[in-house]
Amino acid sequence: MSDMRTPLAKVRGLGSAKEGTDHFWRQRLTAVSNVPLTLFFVGLLIALSGGNFADVRASLSNPFVGLVLALFMISGLYHMRIGMQVIIEDYIHGEGLKILLVMLNTFFAIAVGVASIFALLKLAFGG
Amino acid sequence: MSKSTATQTARARPLSPHLSVWRPTITYVMSFAHRATGAALYFGTLLVAAWLITAATSESAFNTVQWIFGSWVGRVVLLGYTWALMHHMLGGLRHLMWDTGAALEKHKASKLGWATIIGSVTLTILIWAVGLAVRGGF
Ligand code: HEM
């Protein structure tokens, strides 16, 4: 017997996890968006170097700065969540612990993301 | 087969590859460094979040965070964060290049590895030099 896969399964190319290359692709997509966003973030930190509370708030409440920083957090956190999932799957082989860590990984990314975006929105709208 | 021949054959065998006798290659070290910096940046997001949240909510908490960032330990951590970010970014660009099928040959991959480490150290020094200049000193 050579191949048990149906022609349809081969054309779909989704494999046994039914995800195909989705994970790989999203890692690449966010890697590309991370580059300009990271450069902006680093540039902002340089510009704010030595700035006090008022300086930092003034800068972060600028709509453009706030928007780009929100994108930086979303892109970065999404990217690191799927990246860390690969690391977990590579090293943790117990099924229960693996599922637990993959869940905690998602919770961590969402918690950091929601808190950061809330902070940016508060700076933009709430003062 | 006599015992002495067996010993001689065993002695003549090369000992390498061996689990503990090996030389790290630049491609291997950079591969590990990409994963290690990715994991370090993962926890580094907590620093970014702490900065944003305190900036949005409380001047005293913000000043505490700034004070920690400005301490010696804080500066070493931030310097490491800067390097990890630059190193992972350059290493990631290298991955994206490989995804197109380019520069996968052995000597080219090694050159890229060296370029990644030299590039990330250079960028880190530049960022801190400009940052300290903007700040007006140490
Ligand atoms: C700055 C631009 C960035 C680029 C170009 C980039 C690129 C990449 C690429 C291409 C991979 C996949 C490597 C592979 O398949 O072996 C990757 C993995 C990863 N990245 Fe990034 N990344 C960037 C920023 C970040 C940031 C900001 C974080 C964390 C907050 C991060 C965390 C990770 C993690 C945890 C992995 C998984 C590492 C592994 O599987 O070995 N990356 N990155």
Side-chain angles (χ1 to χ4, degrees):
Chain A
M1 194 162 53
S2 54
D3 195 344
M4 284 178 60
R5 283 179 303 169
T6 63
L8 179 62
K10 276 188 216 167
V11 169
R12 283 190 176 143
L14 294 178
S16 60
K18 306 283 175 281
E19 282 186 354
T21 54
D22 195 51
H23 193 126
F24 176 92
W25 175 246
R26 281 165 195 261
Q27 186 95 56
R28 265 63 194 169
L29 186 74
T30 50
V32 171
S33 53
N34 275 349
V35 176
L37 295 169
T38 297
L39 293 176
F40 178 88
F41 174 65
V42 171
L44 180 74
L45 289 187
I46 291 176
L48 287 176
S49 174
N52 62 21
F53 186 63
D55 302 329
V56 171
R57 280 172 71 94
S59 173
L60 293 182
S61 56
N62 173 290
F64 180 75
V65 172
L67 199 69
V68 179
L69 275 191
L71 290 175
F72 171 66
M73 293 311 285
I74 293 168
S75 174
L77 288 162
Y78 194 97
H79 173 89
M80 75 166 204
R81 183 183 76 83
I82 54 182
M84 184 56 82
Q85 184 174 334
V86 173
I87 299 182
I88 294 167
E89 287 164 350
D90 277 356
Y91 301 129
I92 309 294
H93 301 304
E95 203 57 24
L97 183 60
K98 185 167 75 186
I99 290 172
L100 179 71
L101 289 178
V102 169
M103 280 173 78
L104 289 178
N105 178 39
T106 301
F107 295 159
F108 178 82
I110 291 179
V112 173
V114 168
S116 304
I117 304 250
F118 173 78
L120 287 168
L121 290 177
K122 188 169 180 326
L123 282 158
F125 300 120
Chain B
M1 212 201 297
S2 77
K3 212 181 170 186
S4 67
T5 340
T7 325
Q8 271 169 5
T9 320
R11 204 178 283 147
R13 279 193 192 127
L15 283 172
S16 177
H18 190 280
L19 276 182
S20 61
V21 183
W22 55 287
R23 190 173 57 89
T25 58
I26 184 68
T27 40
Y28 147 72
V29 175
M30 288 304 109
S31 169
F32 175 76
H34 192 74
R35 175 157 283 192
T37 51
L41 292 170
Y42 184 96
F43 296 102
T45 55
L46 287 174
L47 304 178
V48 182
W51 185 64
L52 291 177
I53 293 160
T54 55
T57 52
S58 145
E59 178 156 19
S60 67
F62 179 83
N63 288 338
T64 308
V65 167
Q66 288 288 75
W67 180 82
I68 296 170
F69 285 173
S71 69
W72 275 106
V73 176
R75 284 187 178 190
V76 170
V77 170
L78 290 187
L79 186 68
Y81 178 84
T82 314
W83 174 75
L85 193 58
M86 291 301 103
H87 191 85
H88 188 89
M89 183 178 78
L90 294 181
L93 289 171
R94 195 183 45 140
H95 266 283
L96 296 177
M97 204 169 144
W98 282 334
D99 290 340
T100 71
L104 283 163
E105 297 85 352
K106 199 165 81 177
H107 62 283
K108 282 192 193 155
S110 299
K111 267 194 197 142
L112 264 184
W114 282 111
T116 312
I117 182 72
I118 294 168
S120 65
V121 171
T122 310
L123 285 177
T124 305
I125 294 171
L126 263 176
I127 290 167
W128 277 66
V130 179
L132 288 173
V134 168
R135 192 191 171 93
F138 223 64

